């Protein structure tokens, strides 16, 4: 069957597009050649290959200069991939994420590092921390908080004992879909997903699948992988996971809250990437503990109020000493290079029995 012949106008436009594509390809390869030269300079100087602050500056500059009709968000996404591909020529970045393929953690890593990053899939967040701390991966991405279900407690516990610090974050809109081998929701015996996903969909599951077992697994993508092996099982996972494992999306976006976001932290060893300079819109994360005495927690807030520093998160975790002692995980707005933040942190540290600066990084949009 022959393809319908294009009209003269359409044929001419296609010739223009082909010509522009060739120009774009030439320019992209010229950019890549310069990026390789940059890589050689960085290698000689011993400076980090990946600079998220530099990526952010370039993307902001490009989007500001964009005259349209392309939308700014689309231009930003294109440039992130261009920079990721060029960085892969300088030095491929190995990033540990929760696996298998198709997790939201993987998606967060791609949003932050671009599609050219070399992803290392781990069975759980413990392995992500261990791989990053051991140097098997240069960076790691771990879930830390969900807008509906709260903190990922295991990640908080791991932060206490790891030498890694936080250098960035990704806030991801999470939509859970019911995935299955067959395209209906009948005779489902078990729904497999990460415990957080099961909790985020509990009302929908209680209403539509009240008799199905809710089976926690290490990740949503692992649930999708397993669901592909048994027609009586279903998974809660992303559309990306559905494509990855050849499953039908039986029901779309079944999370109980429409605005369901998960916050992921980007971690690395301090010598891999040091704390970036202030961006003007930063978050500083801490772990602290105080002596177990009346008013001790209240006293923690005094330096923050005194110097006008806003606290955006305050979580407690048992210290496991058997003495009813706790570690407190705190996020504040600002950068330690700012005088008021530095003064507040200095006084706060004097009140603490334990004090650890987890990291300072730009707040995700």
């Amino acid at each position: 069957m022959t393809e319908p012949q294009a009209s003269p106008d359409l044929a001419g436009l296609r010739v223009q597009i082909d010509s522009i594509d060739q120009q774009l390809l030439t320019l992209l390869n010229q950019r890549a050649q310069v990026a390789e030269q940059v890589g050689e300079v960085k290698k000689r100087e011993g400076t980090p290959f990946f600079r998220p602050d530099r990526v952010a500056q370039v993307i902001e500059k490009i989007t500001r200069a964009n005259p349209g009709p392309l939308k700014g968000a689309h231009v930003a996404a294109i440039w992130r991939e261009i920079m990721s591909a060029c960085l892969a020529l300088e030095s491929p970045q190995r990033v540990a994420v929760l696996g298998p393929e198709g997790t939201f953690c993987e998606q967060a890593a791609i949003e932050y590092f671009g599609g050219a990053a070399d992803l290392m899939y781990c069975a759980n967040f413990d392995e992500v921390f261990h791989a990053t701390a051991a140097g098997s991966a240069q960076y790691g991405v771990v879930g830390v908080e969900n807008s509906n279900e709260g903190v990922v407690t295991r990640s908080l516990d791991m932060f206490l004992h790891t030498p890694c610090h936080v250098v960035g974050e990704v806030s991801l809109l999470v939509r859970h879909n019911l995935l299955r081998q067959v395209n209906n929701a009948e005779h489902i015996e078990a729904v497999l997903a990460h415990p957080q996903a099961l909790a985020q969909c509990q009302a929908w599951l209680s209403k539509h699948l009240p008799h199905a077992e809710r089976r926690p697994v290490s990740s949503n993508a692992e649930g999708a992988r397993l669901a592909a092996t048994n027609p009586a099982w279903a998974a809660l996972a992303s559309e990306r996971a559905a494509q990855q494992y050849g499953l039908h999306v039986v029901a779309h976006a079944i999370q109980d809250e429409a605005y369901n976001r998960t916050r992921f932290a980007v971690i690395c060893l301090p010598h891999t990437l040091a704390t970036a300079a202030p961006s003007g819109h930063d978050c500083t994360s801490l772990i602290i503990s105080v002596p177990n005495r009346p008013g001790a927690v209240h006293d923690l807030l005094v330096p923050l109020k005194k110097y006008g520093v806003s606290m955006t998160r305050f979580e407690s975790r048992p210290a496991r000493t058997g003495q009813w002692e706790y570690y407190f995980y705190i996020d504040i707005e600002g950068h330690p290079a700012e005088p008021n933040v530095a003064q507040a942190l200095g006084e706060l540290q004097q009140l603490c029995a334990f004090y650890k600066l987890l990291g300072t990084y730009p707040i995700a949009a």
Side-chain angles (χ1 to χ4, degrees), residues 186-267:
E186 299 175 2
H187 310 299
I188 293 175
E189 296 176 3
V191 178
L192 292 72
H194 189 276
Q196 282 259 344
L198 292 171
Q200 291 161 25
C201 301
Q202 59 181 328
W204 191 95
L205 293 172
S206 296
K207 179 179 179 180
H208 297 277
L209 297 172
H211 303 298
E213 176 194 353
R214 300 177 194 180
R215 188 176 302 174
V217 292
S218 60
S219 71
N220 294 338
E222 175 64 8
R225 187 189 70 80
L226 292 170
T229 69
N230 190 326
W233 292 351
L236 303 177
S238 64
E239 292 187 9
R240 183 186 184 93
Q243 296 169 1
Q244 180 70 35
Y245 298 104
L247 298 170
H248 293 281
V249 179
V250 177
H252 289 267
I254 66 171
Q255 66 278 356
D256 298 334
E257 299 292 336
Y259 186 81
N260 181 36
R261 301 193 78 89
T262 295
R263 182 179 170 217
F264 294 87
V266 180
I267 62 173

Side-chain angles (χ1 to χ4, degrees), residues 54-249:
R54 170 64 178 162
V55 173
Q57 289 167 6
V58 170
I59 290 175
E60 182 182 2
K61 184 178 179 180
I62 287 292
T63 52
R64 276 205 314 265
N66 174 38
L70 284 176
K71 294 180 179 179
H74 296 161
V75 170
I78 291 167
W79 246 260
R80 187 175 297 279
E81 289 303 321
I82 291 172
M83 297 185 77
S84 177
C86 289
L87 179 64
L89 295 174
E90 297 177 36
S91 176
Q93 302 301 292
R94 191 161 175 79
V95 183
V97 299
L98 180 66
E101 294 180 64
T103 63
F104 289 111
C105 187
E106 175 195 59
Q107 184 179 336
I110 291 171
E111 284 204 13
Y112 192 84
F113 292 95
D118 179 15
L119 299 184
M120 173 182 177
Y121 295 96
C122 301
N124 49 55
F125 285 142
D126 286 37
E127 287 191 13
V128 174
F129 276 100
H130 291 317
T132 309
S136 303
Q138 292 153 300
Y139 296 90
V141 178
V142 294
V144 292
E145 185 177 19
N146 178 262
S147 57
N148 300 312
E149 291 301 314
V151 297
V152 181
T153 56
R154 187 57 189 162
S155 291
L156 295 193
D157 291 341
M158 290 298 294
F159 274 124
L160 187 62
H161 305 292
T162 178
C164 299
H165 70 154
V166 182
V167 293
E169 69 172 9
V170 179
S171 179
L172 201 64
L173 184 63
V174 171
R175 293 188 175 94
H176 296 302
N177 307 287
L178 188 70
L179 312 183
R180 198 183 180 197
Q181 273 190 25
V182 294
N183 197 14
N184 64 62
E186 299 175 2
H187 310 299
I188 293 175
E189 296 176 3
V191 178
L192 292 72
H194 189 276
Q196 282 259 344
L198 292 171
Q200 291 161 25
C201 301
Q202 59 181 328
W204 191 95
L205 293 172
S206 296
K207 179 179 179 180
H208 297 277
L209 297 172
H211 303 298
E213 176 194 353
R214 300 177 194 180
R215 188 176 302 174
V217 292
S218 60
S219 71
N220 294 338
E222 175 64 8
R225 187 189 70 80
L226 292 170
T229 69
N230 190 326
W233 292 351
L236 303 177
S238 64
E239 292 187 9
R240 183 186 184 93
Q243 296 169 1
Q244 180 70 35
Y245 298 104
L247 298 170
H248 293 281
V249 179

